[in-house]
Amino acid sequence: MSFVRISKRSIHTVPKLPLFKQWSNDGIKGFMSKEQFDISWNKYQDYLTKKLSLNTVGTEFESKTPFEIVISTKNKSNLNQVYHFASQSHNNHLFFQQLKDNTATKSSEKILDNNEVNEIRPILLKQIEKNFGSFQNFKNEFNLKADNLNGQGWIFLVENSDKSLEIKSINNDGTPYHFGRNQSLDLNGSISTNDYLTLIENKTNTINKVKDFTLPLLALNCWEYAYLNDYGINGKADYINNFWKAIDWNVINNRVFLTF
């Protein structure tokens, strides 16, 4: 008796968003038009997943999730292409997964500001206030990081292994999951002594295979494709401001690993 071995190929596909149909028709109200949503989710995420499929076909990464691929390839320079599409795909999903419609009117914005704090899990709000002084201070610092990020990149609020919170400014296709791939330093020009010491520390930790247990909680996409259609070349500040009104804090609360 002979046996026929059937092999099953896997492809990477665009994840399903709960409000996908609504956002495709109407956009994310108060934050992103349907045209902008089509560009930054439908078209770009489709591009990323197709390229990821092409770059992983027939390899051990073919059936792994983008997150698993990022973790597996973060230290392998010969797999930069695979890492790039996996990291971008995962980061973009984190960003869109946490959004909701902003239906507030101008007259209700102050009330919404108060509700924003009330929606945050108490243990997370307590840690934000502990690390940044107040929720408003946290927003100000987050906005400053986003505004000062030159070029393309991401801004993350992350939970560290010691339960402290930190805002990470990450360039290009960097990931918050590993210090060696944070890409938080701008290396296009001269760097400070502190930045140099950080590079040496990261190199040493990578050689010694130190594990990084950083957990991203909140993500802001600062790539131009995410806002240029709606906000224009000089509209980044408005995009950042409107972002806060479109955050679904229930999603952020579920990402928190804080325990005491």
Side-chain angles (χ1 to χ4, degrees), residues 104-119 245:
T105 62
K106 286 291 183 180
S107 60
S108 65
E109 280 190 354
K110 188 166 184 63
I111 296 174
L112 190 65
D113 286 340
N114 294 329
N115 289 340
E116 184 178 31
V117 174
N118 294 333
E119 291 174 358
K245 307 302 181 184

Side-chain angles (χ1 to χ4, degrees), residues 31 36 45 53 83 87 113 132 145 157 161 211 218 237 250:
F31 181 53
Q36 181 68 74
Q45 196 73 12
S53 293
Y83 164 83
S87 182
D113 286 340
F132 301 100
K145 289 263 190 182
L157 171 68
S161 58
K211 293 184 177 180
L218 180 68
N250 289 323

Side-chain angles (χ1 to χ4, degrees), residues 8-12 56-64 69:
K8 184 178 181 181
R9 308 312 300 259
S10 298
I11 62 172
H12 297 279
T56 58
V57 62
T59 73
E60 62 181 294
F61 306 114
E62 186 179 43
S63 59
K64 289 186 176 182
I69 295 173

Side-chain angles (χ1 to χ4, degrees), residues 1-249:
M1 181 182 291
S2 62
F3 295 90
V4 177
R5 175 174 292 177
I6 300 175
S7 60
K8 184 178 181 181
R9 308 312 300 259
S10 298
I11 62 172
H12 297 279
T13 58
V14 176
K16 301 296 183 184
L17 297 174
L19 297 176
F20 170 76
K21 186 175 181 179
Q22 177 184 322
W23 290 349
S24 293
N25 292 331
D26 306 321
I28 305 175
K29 293 179 181 177
F31 181 53
M32 191 176 288
S33 69
K34 67 177 183 178
E35 292 80 13
Q36 181 68 74
F37 177 75
D38 184 54
I39 292 169
S40 49
W41 178 254
N42 294 339
K43 289 185 171 64
Y44 190 62
Q45 196 73 12
D46 181 64
Y47 162 76
L48 292 171
T49 51
K50 283 180 178 176
K51 294 293 283 187
L52 188 58
S53 293
L54 289 171
N55 280 275
T56 58
V57 62
T59 73
E60 62 181 294
F61 306 114
E62 186 179 43
S63 59
K64 289 186 176 182
T65 66
F67 168 75
E68 291 171 327
I69 295 173
V70 167
I71 299 302
S72 299
T73 61
K74 63 185 185 297
N75 293 329
K76 300 176 180 178
S77 58
N78 61 314
L79 294 174
N80 276 342
Q81 189 87 334
V82 174
Y83 164 83
H84 169 78
F85 292 113
S87 182
Q88 286 293 91
S89 178
H90 179 70
N91 288 350
N92 203 40
H93 187 208
L94 275 179
F95 170 67
F96 277 96
Q97 186 187 46
Q98 70 193 2
L99 299 178
K100 67 175 183 180
D101 288 334
N102 169 25
T103 56
T105 62
K106 286 291 183 180
S107 60
S108 65
E109 280 190 354
K110 188 166 184 63
I111 296 174
L112 190 65
D113 286 340
N114 294 329
N115 289 340
E116 184 178 31
V117 174
N118 294 333
E119 291 174 358
I120 301 174
R121 185 178 171 189
I123 195 171
L124 173 58
L125 181 60
K126 180 180 179 181
Q127 202 68 2
I128 287 174
E129 292 172 342
K130 177 181 178 181
N131 284 265
F132 301 100
S134 69
F135 182 74
Q136 188 58 52
N137 286 346
F138 156 64
K139 285 180 65 174
N140 291 342
E141 185 174 333
F142 193 98
N143 290 353
L144 185 61
K145 289 263 190 182
D147 191 53
N148 287 341
L149 191 150
N150 294 318
Q152 319 284 6
W154 308 84
I155 305 296
F156 289 96
L157 171 68
V158 302
E159 177 186 343
N160 294 314
S161 58
D162 63 358
K163 308 304 179 185
S164 65
L165 301 181
E166 181 183 358
I167 300 171
K168 286 186 177 292
S169 177
I170 291 179
N171 291 287
N172 302 317
D173 60 359
T175 181
Y177 295 106
H178 183 64
F179 50 79
R181 280 285 193 172
N182 280 174
Q183 297 171 198
S184 57
L185 304 178
D186 185 355
L187 303 179
N188 292 318
S190 59
I191 62 174
S192 66
T193 302
N194 287 338
D195 287 347
Y196 174 75
L197 293 175
T198 298
L199 285 174
I200 298 301
E201 181 183 5
N202 287 347
K203 181 178 180 180
T204 302
N205 288 337
T206 300
I207 293 173
N208 293 330
K209 297 182 179 180
V210 175
K211 293 184 177 180
D212 188 345
F213 297 101
T214 301
L215 182 67
L217 303 180
L218 180 68
L220 173 61
N221 190 339
C222 287
W223 280 69
E224 289 182 348
Y225 74 80
Y227 64 86
L228 197 59
N229 183 78
D230 280 356
Y231 296 90
I233 295 175
N234 297 317
K236 185 179 178 183
D238 291 332
Y239 165 74
I240 296 169
N241 183 59
N242 287 339
F243 165 69
W244 290 101
K245 307 302 181 184
I247 297 172
D248 185 346
W249 285 100

